[in-house]
């Protein structure tokens, strides 16, 4: 899980565009509001959102997955 950070910090950390970094942070903030006491539910919802966006060919999801794979050494 990523920590809460600023757009420039997340963009730099993961090599994301500022637009993708903002989208990811906004999505995580929304999920935190929807599941305030359940970090596991937030992670599942985030993964589901990324997977669905990836399947739709949304650029932010493709960029996020590429950056995440690089972070994990895949």
């Amino acid at each position: 899980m990523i920590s809460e950070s600023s757009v420039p910090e997340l963009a730099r950390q993961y090599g994301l565009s500022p637009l993708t970094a903002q989208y990811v942070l906004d999505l995580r903030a929304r999920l935190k509001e929807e599941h305030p006491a359940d970090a596991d539910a937030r992670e599942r919802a985030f993964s589901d959102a990324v997977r669905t966006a990836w399947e739709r060919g949304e650029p932010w999801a493709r960029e996020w997955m590429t950056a995440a794979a690089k972070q994990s050494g895949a």
Side-chain angles (χ1 to χ4, degrees), residues 64-74:
W64 173 255
M65 291 301 294
T66 300
K70 287 179 185 175
Q71 288 286 317
S72 70

Side-chain angles (χ1 to χ4, degrees), residues 7 14 26 29 31 42 45 56 60 62 69-70:
V7 169
Y14 284 85
D26 289 349
L31 294 174
R42 285 193 303 268
R56 291 180 183 159
W60 75 268
R62 296 203 178 269
K70 287 179 185 175

Side-chain angles (χ1 to χ4, degrees), residues 48-65:
D48 289 346
V50 172
R51 185 178 307 107
T52 298
W54 173 274
E55 291 169 354
R56 291 180 183 159
E58 294 183 30
W60 75 268
R62 296 203 178 269
E63 185 179 350
W64 173 255
M65 291 301 294

Side-chain angles (χ1 to χ4, degrees), residues 5-74:
S5 59
S6 68
V7 169
E9 181 182 344
L10 184 65
R12 183 174 48 258
Q13 180 182 357
Y14 284 85
L16 301 171
S17 68
L19 186 60
T20 294
Q22 183 67 61
Y23 191 89
V24 168
L25 289 175
D26 289 349
L27 176 58
R28 286 205 177 270
R30 183 174 56 83
L31 294 174
K32 190 172 185 177
E33 290 176 4
E34 291 176 10
H35 308 282
D38 192 345
D40 290 336
R42 285 193 303 268
E43 283 305 304
R44 284 190 305 273
F46 181 78
S47 293
D48 289 346
V50 172
R51 185 178 307 107
T52 298
W54 173 274
E55 291 169 354
R56 291 180 183 159
E58 294 183 30
W60 75 268
R62 296 203 178 269
E63 185 179 350
W64 173 255
M65 291 301 294
T66 300
K70 287 179 185 175
Q71 288 286 317
S72 70

